[in-house]
Amino acid sequence: MEKKMEQILIVEDDLRLNQGLCKALKSENRKIISCMDLKSAREQLEIDDVSLILLDINLPDGNGLDFLKELKEDDSIRPVILLTANDTDMDIVEGLEQGADDYITKPFSLAVLRARVNTQLRKNAANLKNENGKNERIFKIDHFEFNFDKMVFLASGENVELSKTEQKLLKILVEHRGGTVSRNMLIDYIWTDGAKYVDENALSVSIKRLRDKLGAQDYIKTVYGIGYSWVNKDE
């Protein structure tokens, strides 16, 4: 079976770096789309279904973080890796809160960037596969298997009953596994009934129940001051 063509959108206004990224990431069955500003990036997204976006934060016609928020509101699954010259905690936290799947600060090794890009592409491809070729939401992670379409959640082969809130919480954590999802993002995503105020303790309680039901204490980690992350057991 022929492998589907991957398309990577690079949004970087430094011409030399942009060209270097294009050269480093180009390969068989992969198309690289290069943009220098947000205007052209938006135009490309109207005509191309991209697999991953490399996004600079500081662009001539706007802030990459604002664009990131737009992207995640439109499609929370498609991975976005931020490229930034800023390395302060505030920049990192803001990017993660807007839904970035990964970030890398300049200057960086192209080999490291390639590895991170390939990791995100593999995760995204795995998320969209099933044996019938449909976009069924199945995640197989170590001894866990989660099917969000059929609402079947297995831990070591045993079925685990999850509430609707716990299902939504698990879904956003595994979709962003390896990254950190902020408390605010989780609350906004899970409690969408228009409530003006949600006690943050409700999130903590839901996280604890999810951990206990799945036996996922080694996977669902608290990132203090930011939020939560689904990580590999050995990380």
Side-chain angles (χ1 to χ4, degrees), residues 123 141-142 144 173-174 176-180 216-223 228-235:
K123 287 180 180 179
I141 308 168
D142 294 344
F144 298 106
L173 287 174
V174 297
H176 294 82
R177 62 194 181 278
T180 301
Q217 286 79 6
D218 291 330
Y219 293 84
I220 301 174
K221 299 292 188 180
T222 300
V223 183
Y228 298 93
S229 179
W230 181 287
V231 300
N232 292 330
K233 186 175 180 180
D234 295 332
E235 290 183 353

Side-chain angles (χ1 to χ4, degrees), residues 51-70:
S51 309
L52 178 143
I53 300 173
L54 279 175
L55 176 63
D56 189 21
I57 288 182
N58 299 307
L59 292 160
D61 58 344
N63 188 313
L65 292 175
D66 294 334
F67 186 50
L68 170 65
K69 185 177 181 180
E70 293 177 27

Side-chain angles (χ1 to χ4, degrees), residues 187-209:
I187 290 171
D188 290 344
Y189 177 79
I190 294 167
W191 286 278
T192 56
D193 56 0
K196 292 183 179 179
Y197 176 76
V198 176
D199 186 351
E200 286 200 8
N201 186 56
L203 177 59
S204 300
V205 170
S206 297
I207 286 282
K208 184 180 187 305
R209 287 177 178 168

Side-chain angles (χ1 to χ4, degrees), residues 88-101:
T88 66
D89 289 344
M90 186 67 70
D91 297 316
I92 293 170
V93 169
E94 187 174 0
L96 293 172
E97 285 187 341
Q98 297 293 358
D101 297 272

Side-chain angles (χ1 to χ4, degrees), residues 138-198:
I138 300 176
F139 296 83
K140 295 182 179 180
I141 308 168
D142 294 344
H143 59 286
F144 298 106
E145 182 172 331
F146 307 133
N147 186 324
F148 290 96
D149 290 328
K150 296 179 179 178
M151 293 184 292
V152 175
F153 308 96
L154 304 177
S156 299
E158 297 292 325
N159 188 61
V160 179
E161 295 293 333
L162 299 179
S163 69
K164 291 293 185 182
T165 294
E166 290 160 356
Q167 290 177 30
K168 292 175 76 174
L169 180 57
L170 176 63
K171 184 172 184 286
I172 194 170
L173 287 174
V174 297
E175 283 177 349
H176 294 82
R177 62 194 181 278
T180 301
V181 187
S182 72
R183 293 183 65 89
N184 288 340
M185 183 177 175
L186 287 168
I187 290 171
D188 290 344
Y189 177 79
I190 294 167
W191 286 278
T192 56
D193 56 0
K196 292 183 179 179
Y197 176 76
V198 176

